[in-house]
Amino acid sequence: EAGVAQSPRYKIIEKRQSVAFWCNPISGHATLYWYQQILGQGPKLLIQFQNNGVVDDSQLPKDRFSAERLKGVDSTLKIQPAKLEDSAVYLCASSPGTGFGEQFFGPGTRLTVL
Amino acid sequence: QKEVEQDPGPLSVPEGAIVSLNCTYSNSAFQYFMWYRQYSRKGPELLMYTYSSGNKEDGRFTAQVDKSSKYISLFIRDSQPSDSATYLCAMENSGYALNFGKGTSLLVTP
């Protein structure tokens, strides 16, 4: 079974530029999460989708971050414009159902904002 | 106060030692308690999870949850250099997303 795929793996941009990250979850998984992991911290939830609906985006900075999950499968996370404090690893995870279940994480996209 | 507190370490132990990792939390509504392992430049992977209070054992790993004290632990017996990683405790919120601790960096030296 293929794992969660993310791209790109690394991205370096200047502040005020835009960037987008892509996630392909494990096939058939209903729930998809985006987490932000700042160096030395644990992952922090940004947004949670069930199928193609948003369950929780309370910690997503909506003035600059947006996310969508098309047809309940792939997802993109966008930052526009980026700030220095957005430098972090962006992790995508998926889980099979809509209740409690193991979350499978992708390798993450490491973003550096200069 | 963060909902989940975890000492970031680093923790360095010799091979074969027993390792004890701990977290405290403040939200009494948490029901599922998890330990994830994260190797450098990789995503976290689930080691173990426990529902409510009690102990759970899996090979060299034992997870303990004490809901009365809001305290969870992970014990690693006969630690190996391959156990060197960051260990993250996590607890589920009402929507089943996870609240993570900061992670404890563990180094097991041969």
Side-chain angles (χ1 to χ4, degrees):
Chain A
E1 179 182 68
V4 176
Q6 290 187 248
S7 68
R9 291 295 314 277
Y10 304 92
K11 190 73 177 179
I12 301 174
I13 61 172
E14 303 269 337
K15 61 183 179 185
R16 291 187 289 275
Q17 286 188 321
S18 305
V19 65
F21 313 127
W22 174 81
C23 172
N24 183 256
I26 293 173
S27 177
H29 278 197
T31 306
L32 185 147
Y33 309 82
W34 283 101
Y35 290 89
Q36 179 193 58
Q37 187 173 24
I38 293 171
L39 185 65
Q41 304 286 324
K44 182 187 83 170
L45 178 72
L46 291 175
I47 189 167
Q48 176 186 353
F49 293 94
Q50 278 183 8
N51 299 306
N52 58 355
V54 175
V55 174
D56 183 355
D57 63 356
S58 58
Q59 298 191 87
L60 186 73
K62 299 182 186 65
D63 58 335
R64 298 184 301 106
F65 286 64
S66 64
E68 61 180 2
R69 188 179 186 195
L70 298 175
K71 299 180 181 178
V73 183
D74 292 7
S75 178
T76 56
L77 176 69
K78 297 179 182 178
I79 308 175
Q80 181 179 10
K83 292 185 176 181
L84 297 177
E85 59 261 36
D86 298 332
S87 294
V89 176
Y90 291 84
L91 293 161
C92 179
S94 69
S95 63
T98 56
F100 173 76
E102 179 178 354
Q103 293 185 25
F104 296 84
F105 284 81
T109 296
R110 183 176 298 271
L111 173 68
T112 301
V113 182
L114 301 176
Chain B
Q1 181 192 14
K2 284 180 66 70
E3 282 194 305
V4 181
E5 299 280 359
Q6 183 176 11
D7 186 337
L11 184 61
S12 182
V13 301
E15 183 176 355
I18 296 174
V19 176
S20 172
L21 304 168
N22 311 293
C23 289
T24 59
Y25 63 95
S26 58
N27 188 342
S28 57
F30 289 144
Q31 293 286 353
Y32 290 93
F33 304 89
M34 285 137 285
W35 287 95
Y36 278 79
R37 179 173 60 196
Q38 186 173 27
Y39 291 112
S40 180
R41 299 187 182 274
K42 302 283 188 183
E45 58 177 344
L46 182 66
L47 269 179
M48 301 178 69
Y49 79 89
T50 308
Y51 175 73
S52 195
S53 283
N55 294 356
K56 188 172 186 179
E57 188 173 319
D58 184 1
R60 297 183 296 111
F61 299 88
T62 299
Q64 289 185 351
V65 174
D66 181 349
K67 292 193 74 178
S68 63
S69 302
K70 296 190 178 67
Y71 188 87
I72 71 170
S73 301
L74 177 71
F75 298 95
I76 307 174
R77 291 184 300 280
D78 188 25
S79 56
Q80 302 294 309
S82 58
D83 295 329
S84 297
T86 295
Y87 290 80
L88 297 152
C89 63
M91 297 153 204
E92 120 290 0
N93 67 16
S94 59
Y96 302 106
L98 298 176
N99 288 307
F100 283 91
K102 283 187 175 182
T104 299
S105 177
L106 172 67
L107 177 64
V108 182
T109 55

